[in-house]
Amino acid sequence: MSTLRVDNLRGQTAGTDRYVVQVVEGSFSTKTSTSSTSFITTGLEATITPSSTSNKILISVAMNGVYSPEADYVVFHIYKNDVNHHSFSTNVGQNGESDSSSVVHFYLDSPSTTSATKYTVYNRSGNGGSIGINNYGIGGDGSTRSTILLQEIAQ
């Protein structure tokens, strides 16, 4: 019979105590369309409850089937708990033809809370043309999926 005795547990020995504590995913596959120049929700959101106020949240967003007409573009914002928090955009459509593409974005947030924190992706048209997400997929319009991934990183 073997006996394992431990006097002290320490963090990782690779020189860092940073690691992924938890992962939360949100996805959305409905094709959307808007010509609004004001921000509206895409329907893509996820909520995470950090385990420590010092931990960070790595937000990974993959918007698929992003489309806009000629001479227009799509602007995205990440809202945190329904408040505008961070922006990113794409030049889809600015090349002089209607286009559909994928947009991937990463952002490291410091929420400083242990309360549930909701991240939602909003979008708007740059110039009032019809824009949207989840435009095309192998199965037709709306068969592609956009995803938001939240990873809590221990600090």
Side-chain angles (χ1 to χ4, degrees):
M1 180 169 160
S2 298
T3 303
L4 174 65
R5 294 178 190 191
V6 178
D7 294 325
N8 189 7
L9 291 175
R10 296 178 48 199
Q12 297 175 350
T13 58
T16 179
D17 289 332
R18 294 186 175 98
Y19 56 92
V20 176
V21 176
Q22 64 175 312
V23 178
V24 176
E25 178 192 24
S27 64
F28 187 76
S29 61
T30 302
K31 179 184 177 184
T32 68
S33 180
T34 184
S35 57
S36 175
T37 55
S38 297
F39 284 102
I40 63 169
T41 183
T42 61
L44 183 60
E45 68 180 33
T47 301
I48 193 166
T49 304
S51 60
S52 170
T53 58
S54 63
N55 290 350
K56 297 186 183 298
I57 304 298
L58 177 59
I59 305 165
S60 306
V61 177
M63 304 300 292
N64 291 308
V66 177
Y67 67 94
S68 69
E70 297 176 15
D72 207 344
Y73 56 97
V74 184
V75 179
F76 294 102
H77 276 206
I78 297 173
Y79 279 54
K80 180 166 74 173
N81 294 329
D82 301 318
V83 175
N84 193 347
H85 183 65
H86 177 76
S87 67
F88 60 103
S89 63
T90 176
N91 65 348
V92 171
Q94 288 187 340
N95 61 1
E97 60 186 58
S98 294
D99 208 354
S100 182
S101 185
S102 294
V103 176
V104 176
H105 185 74
F106 303 95
Y107 175 67
L108 189 61
D109 188 33
S110 301
S112 301
T113 186
T114 55
S115 298
T117 305
K118 179 176 74 171
Y119 295 92
T120 308
V121 179
Y122 281 65
N123 67 357
R124 73 170 176 85
S125 172
N127 294 323
S130 180
I131 58 99
I133 62 169
N134 296 330
N135 188 29
Y136 293 110
I138 293 172
D141 284 356
S143 65
T144 189
R145 179 175 302 276
S146 293
T147 305
I148 184 169
L149 190 68
L150 307 177
Q151 299 175 72
E152 180 182 1
I153 311 296
Q155 297 299 297

